[in-house]
Amino acid sequence: MRWPVATLVMLWPSFGGHWVELWYLNWLRPRTSPARLVQVIARLSVWFVGGCVLGLGMALTMQTLSAVRPVHWPPLWIAGMAFIGVELVAQLALEMRGRPSFYNGRG
C-alpha cells in the first residue's frame, strides 16, 4: 500500500510543478514588466508560492491516505525553497542544451 501512496504524493511536485510553470509562462509573464529583474523576482516568487502550495497538497494527501500514524511535516517554506531548487536544476538542464531557460532570459 505504500507504493501507490508514495507515487500519488510525488505527483504533486512533478505534475503540479508543470502547471505552476505553465501558469507563470502563459499568464503572469505576459502581464509583468519586461525588465529582467522584475521577471526574475516574479518567477522566483511563483516558484516559492507554488512550492508551498504543492507541499501542502503533498502533506494533505499523505495525512489522508496514510494509515500508519500522523505524519509530521516540516514548515511549508521549506517546500517552497526546495521547489525553487528543483526548478533551478531543471532550468540548468535546459540551459546546457542551448534551450530557452531561466538563466539566459529567453524562457
Side-chain angles (χ1 to χ4, degrees):
M1 182 64 178
R2 290 183 187 180
W3 280 106
V5 172
T7 301
L8 189 59
V9 167
M10 290 313 299
L11 281 173
W12 279 100
S14 59
F15 186 66
H18 289 294
W19 288 105
V20 169
E21 185 68 6
L22 285 173
W23 181 81
Y24 169 77
L25 291 172
N26 295 330
W27 193 87
L28 187 62
R29 185 171 65 172
R31 291 167 173 79
T32 59
S33 168
R36 177 80 173 129
L37 181 61
V38 173
Q39 295 283 324
V40 166
I41 291 171
R43 199 167 204 174
L44 290 173
S45 299
V46 166
W47 284 347
F48 180 77
V49 172
C52 291
V53 170
L54 295 173
L56 179 63
M58 291 172 69
L60 293 175
T61 301
M62 192 63 136
Q63 289 284 356
T64 302
L65 299 178
S66 178
V68 183
R69 64 177 196 267
V71 179
H72 298 285
W73 287 86
L76 289 180
W77 67 266
I78 294 175
M81 295 302 289
F83 189 71
I84 289 174
V86 167
E87 284 295 330
L88 288 174
V89 169
Q91 294 292 318
L92 182 60
L94 291 172
E95 174 68 19
M96 291 173 63
R97 294 177 65 192
R99 306 289 312 256
S101 73
F102 172 79
Y103 296 104
N104 60 30
R106 295 184 293 143

